[in-house]
Amino acid sequence: MDFSRYIIATDLDGTFLGPDGKFVERNIRAVERFRQRGGLFTVSTGRVHLNIRDAIGDPRALLSAPCVMCNGAYLYDFFEERALEGSIMEAETVSALIAFIKKAYPELQFRVSTPTDLRVERTDGYLTRDLTRYDEGSVLVSPALDWPTDDWYKIVFRGEPELMQSLRAELQSRFGDQIFMTASDSRFLEVQAPGVNKAAGLEKLRRICGGDRILIACGDYENDREMLQAADIAICPANAMTEIKEICDYTLCHCGEGLIGDIVELLEKGEIGK
């Protein structure tokens, strides 16, 4: 069977990876069959190129197209080791936002993703585990008010769900359409430039890979919403949020059972696709 008409773009955590954050062997076998028959396989993730290797090892062994990184802020080609078509936050907005955070929430932990590094003020608390996932030498630790403000892809705030909800409401009230906010977990609040989302990233991917391919998108959480709505075929695992299940064409197995395995088998049987 020829899969050259298809692109599969999948979220990582909670979708492609198992609940333990590790590979599901059934997915790996399915991706290999899919690629051998001409399909393009990639990921669309909130992660950046500096911490994706922790999740999937050498991306070149798994992927066959550029990745949608940082919730769509840019694409990254791991074969050429370069970023493509990035969307940076406005420097004035960044400066105002951080000044507000330092005054109103002086103990709040956050991290900033840029084209070259990850920036944090501290390495304890919530950030302890986060930072172990980044490539060696890619983390800069220094006061936030000393950081350049003209190269930020994303700010990720970390805290308990109640704090993240109240912070989100306050940032929306203060900054409105100057920022776009989403979440990949109840303890994260992710802030980016307006118009940045995984759907925008997928449109860039379509242009690069050929707009006539059928795009299958897979995701499980809030930051996947726009991507799933924009896809030709939207699929989520059984562990997805209820709101995500409601917008998908198919809800298949739990992420721990191998969602991509389900998808490729159904494509082989002709039970999904156009």
Side-chain angles (χ1 to χ4, degrees):
M1 179 174 291
D2 180 15
F3 289 149
S4 61
R5 296 188 304 140
Y6 294 97
I7 304 174
I8 296 177
T10 181
D11 174 55
L12 283 177
D13 301 288
T15 306
F16 180 71
L17 301 176
D20 58 357
K22 304 298 183 182
F23 276 146
V24 178
E25 186 58 35
R26 182 177 179 230
N27 281 338
I28 303 304
R29 295 195 301 268
V31 170
E32 184 176 354
R33 297 201 309 277
F34 181 74
R35 290 181 57 181
Q36 286 176 345
R37 298 172 186 177
L40 294 182
F41 180 80
T42 191
V43 299
S44 181
T45 177
R47 291 176 182 252
V48 296
H49 65 285
L50 300 172
N51 73 338
I52 195 173
R53 292 178 180 86
D54 170 77
I56 65 173
D58 182 358
R60 296 170 298 180
L62 181 69
L63 309 176
S64 50
C67 292
V68 177
M69 309 299 303
C70 201
N71 290 330
Y74 65 105
L75 304 185
Y76 196 84
D77 187 328
F78 281 96
F79 292 91
E80 297 185 4
E81 293 290 350
R82 66 186 182 99
L84 310 171
E85 303 192 30
S87 297
I88 299 296
M89 299 179 69
E90 288 288 341
E92 290 185 6
T93 301
V94 163
S95 296
L97 194 155
I98 291 302
F100 165 71
I101 291 295
K102 297 303 293 180
K103 181 178 179 180
Y105 298 88
E107 299 303 314
L108 184 63
Q109 292 190 306
F110 57 92
R111 49 183 165 85
V112 169
S113 297
T114 81
T116 57
D117 54 41
L118 179 82
R119 296 173 193 164
V120 296
E121 291 189 301
R122 300 160 50 187
T123 60
D124 61 344
Y126 280 109
L127 295 176
T128 302
R129 182 183 176 192
D130 292 359
L131 300 184
T132 63
R133 297 174 171 176
Y134 284 79
D135 294 349
E136 184 176 356
S138 65
V139 178
L140 171 67
V141 184
S142 63
L145 295 177
D146 293 342
W147 299 342
T149 58
D150 59 354
D151 61 349
W152 294 23
Y153 282 138
K154 180 172 71 170
I155 312 168
V156 180
F157 296 103
R158 297 284 270 119
E160 291 302 307
E162 297 79 7
L163 176 59
M164 294 298 96
Q165 291 173 12
S166 63
L167 176 63
R168 185 170 191 164
E170 188 158 10
L171 292 182
Q172 182 61 50
S173 174
R174 288 177 175 271
F175 293 93
D177 60 7
Q178 298 176 65
I179 59 175
F180 175 76
M181 292 182 287
T182 189
S184 56
D185 182 273
S186 63
R187 291 177 171 80
F188 291 76
L189 178 62
E190 305 180 25
V191 180
Q192 299 184 253
V196 170
N197 55 55
K198 290 186 179 182
L202 287 186
E203 286 307 308
K204 298 173 184 176
L205 184 68
R206 282 183 190 268
R207 292 199 303 270
I208 290 173
C209 296
D212 57 340
R213 290 181 183 259
I214 297 169
L215 177 61
I216 301 173
C218 314
D220 72 310
Y221 211 79
E222 177 188 335
N223 65 328
D224 300 312
R225 184 190 312 278
E226 292 84 3
M227 169 179 75
L228 293 167
Q229 291 173 326
D232 298 312
I233 303 172
I235 300 176
C236 68
N239 53 282
M241 296 174 63
T242 300
E243 295 87 346
I244 293 300
K245 292 179 180 178
E246 291 173 350
I247 64 172
C248 284
D249 300 301
Y250 301 90
T251 297
L252 302 178
C253 68
H254 189 282
C255 68
E257 298 171 4
L259 180 70
I260 306 303
D262 264 12
I263 293 170
V264 173
E265 287 181 9
L266 290 173
L267 284 172
E268 290 168 337
K269 295 175 182 177
E271 295 182 10
I272 61 172
K274 296 183 179 181

